[in-house]
Amino acid sequence: MAAGVNDPAIPAALGLAARAGIGWVRIAGTEWSRVEPRKGEFDWWAADRIIDLARGLGFEILAPLAYTPQWASSAPTGLPAGLRTRAPPRDLCDWEAYVAATVSRYRDRVHYWQVWNEPDLAGFWAGTPHEYAELLAA
């Protein structure tokens, strides 16, 4: 879903998609910068809401694992927050902890994960291909 997870149009849009026979949805809400804005402090409210709604309507879900929170970003601190989320994490252990927490929380509801969004485009991934490979390996 392109709209924000709190958009009031999402339930209606998902309902229309379900009635149209669409079986899959790519959702927002599980991005690292959203669910762990401060190290070790997870906020699952928005992700829970959209995932439960989509699953309740019978959708299979593709959920992203992406977007480094500011506290974990390898980008220089002077960059705008939106650009910092595109940079690889400074420490892959932090990435691993986020992925483990997210996949564990949703293991019964989400079976398909997308690692980053369009990492081949600079507007989404500010790291190198090697850094992306390291992210995947972790």
Side-chain angles (χ1 to χ4, degrees):
M1 307 276 340
V5 295
N6 296 319
D7 186 326
I10 287 178
L14 285 174
L16 289 171
R19 284 192 295 283
I22 295 170
W24 284 80
V25 64
R26 181 182 177 275
I27 58 106
T30 57
E31 296 88 350
W32 190 13
S33 56
R34 286 182 195 247
V35 300
E36 191 182 10
R38 288 166 300 286
K39 186 172 183 159
E41 296 181 23
F42 288 90
D43 179 359
W44 303 108
W45 181 85
D48 286 350
R49 178 179 174 267
I50 190 70
I51 287 170
D52 289 345
L53 177 62
R55 289 299 294 168
L57 290 168
F59 287 104
E60 284 291 342
I61 297 170
L62 174 64
L65 298 168
Y67 304 132
T68 311
Q70 290 190 44
W71 63 265
S73 179
S74 63
T77 56
L79 289 179
L83 295 177
R84 294 189 52 142
T85 64
R86 282 19 178 201
R90 278 188 314 275
D91 185 343
L92 286 176
C93 290
D94 292 328
W95 166 259
E96 290 171 343
Y98 150 70
V99 171
T102 306
V103 172
S104 176
R105 182 174 186 86
Y106 298 111
R107 70 179 168 267
D108 296 333
R109 295 172 277 173
V110 178
H111 306 115
Y112 305 94
W113 297 94
Q114 177 183 357
V115 178
W116 225 264
N117 178 55
E118 300 181 13
D120 58 328
L121 299 177
F124 294 102
W125 172 252
T128 66
H130 178 76
E131 288 170 318
Y132 181 69
E134 289 180 328
L135 197 74
L136 286 174

